[in-house]
């Protein structure tokens, strides 16, 4: 198991090649490290990000060993210590992401799994967010999220996705200490997503039905 310390203390290329030949297996974290340079990693798990995910498991090194053997397999990780997860409908989740990145502080890691969007949040968010939504004026309009915290576990996508349309990372973990939004930020994103959708519906409803055979252009987007 000491081989996994390579993620924290990288070996030289020559040492890595020698170790790979000796063990007879590929190092998935070496692969993740090699592809980090000069690329867009929004949806790519890095070696440091994989280490952060594994730290949530009861046996991190065993989890890393499993990922090395099966890098395209999903994994189940407990919530409540390293992160909580806010589980929402995919469409609503994308609206939340739009608000977080266009008007807010950005998001933590985000994954898609079985038609749901998993937004990773700070520990404690799962307990507080439902209460905040109950007190919020727009709370009733928010599709009820599934909040996973202490005592819960979630299935995360594999480190390397087999298909672009299956379970995958939208914003992949790329550091040992990723920023995670707390319950107040998640509440803000929920409310902004609902208000944005409501404003769009109102804007559209003031126009008469469009000719289905004619092209319609949204002139409100002109600058």
């Amino acid at each position: 198991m000491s081989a996994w310390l390579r993620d924290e203390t990288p070996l030289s290329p020559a040492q890595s090649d020698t170790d790979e030949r000796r063990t007879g297996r590929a190092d998935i974290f070496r692969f993740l490290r090699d592809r980090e340079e000069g690329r867009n990693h929004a949806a790519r798990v890095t070696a440091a990000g994989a280490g952060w995910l594994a730290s949530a498991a009861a046996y991190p090194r065993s989890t890393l060993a499993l990922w090395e053997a099966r890098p395209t397999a999903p994994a189940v990780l407990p919530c409540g210590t390293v992160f909580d997860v806010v589980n929402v409908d995919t469409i609503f989740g994308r609206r939340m992401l739009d608000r977080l990145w266009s008007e807010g502080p950005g998001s933590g890691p985000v994954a898609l799994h079985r038609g749901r969007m998993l937004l990773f949040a700070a520990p404690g968010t799962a307990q507080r967010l439902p209460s905040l939504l109950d007190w919020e004026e727009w709370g009733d309009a928010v599709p009820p999220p599934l909040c996973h915290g202490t005592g819960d576990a979630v299935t995360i996508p594999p480190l390397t996705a087999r298909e672009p349309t299956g379970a995958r990372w939208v914003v992949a973990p790329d550091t040992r200490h990723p920023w995670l939004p707390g319950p107040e930020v998640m509440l803000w994103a929920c409310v902004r997503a609902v208000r944005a959708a409501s404003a769009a519906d109102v804007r559209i409803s003031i126009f008469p039905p469009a000719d289905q055979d004619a092209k319609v252009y949204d002139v409100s987007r002109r600058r």
Side-chain angles (χ1 to χ4, degrees):
M1 294 300 181
S2 60
W4 293 112
L5 295 178
R6 288 176 299 184
D7 182 38
E8 301 173 11
T9 308
L11 299 179
S12 68
Q15 289 174 311
S16 296
D17 291 340
T18 301
D19 181 73
E20 184 174 322
R21 287 194 297 270
R22 184 176 67 251
T23 59
R25 62 184 183 182
D27 179 0
I28 183 60
F29 292 128
R30 179 188 171 197
F31 168 72
L32 294 174
R33 286 194 298 271
D34 289 346
R35 73 179 183 180
E36 286 172 17
E37 297 183 0
R39 298 194 181 185
N40 181 359
H41 306 296
R44 296 177 181 273
V45 180
T46 66
W52 173 73
L53 286 171
S55 70
Y59 303 99
R61 293 191 177 188
S62 296
T63 300
L64 294 177
L66 177 62
W67 283 343
E68 182 184 38
R70 302 176 59 193
T72 60
V76 177
L77 294 177
C79 302
T81 302
V82 175
F83 55 75
D84 282 359
V85 170
V86 178
N87 181 335
V88 297
D89 171 80
T90 300
I91 295 177
F92 187 73
R94 289 195 179 279
R95 291 174 180 165
M96 291 178 63
L97 278 185
D98 287 343
R99 300 303 100 195
L100 284 167
W101 285 104
S102 64
E103 302 175 15
S107 72
V110 180
L112 287 176
H113 181 70
R114 294 186 176 180
R116 305 285 294 183
M117 183 169 284
L118 310 179
L119 293 97
F120 286 66
T125 300
Q127 181 179 3
R128 293 191 59 197
L129 181 58
S131 297
L132 293 177
L133 285 171
D134 287 342
W135 283 95
E136 169 59 43
E137 178 184 359
W138 289 79
D140 291 340
V142 175
L146 301 176
C147 297
H148 307 292
T150 303
D152 300 324
V154 294
T155 300
I156 64 169
L159 300 185
T160 55
R162 293 180 179 178
E163 301 177 0
T165 58
R168 64 191 185 280
W169 291 98
V170 178
V171 181
D174 60 357
T175 174
R176 284 279 188 177
H177 303 285
W179 179 78
L180 297 173
E184 293 82 4
V185 174
M186 297 303 291
L187 173 67
W188 177 90
C190 287
V191 172
R192 286 300 182 100
V194 167
R195 292 174 63 181
S198 177
D201 290 342
V202 171
R203 185 176 68 249
I204 293 172
S205 66
I206 66 175
F207 293 98
D211 184 352
Q212 296 299 317
D213 295 326
K215 290 185 178 180
V216 178
Y217 298 93
D218 184 5
V219 296
S220 66
R221 295 178 63 85
R222 288 180 180 173
R223 293 182 179 272

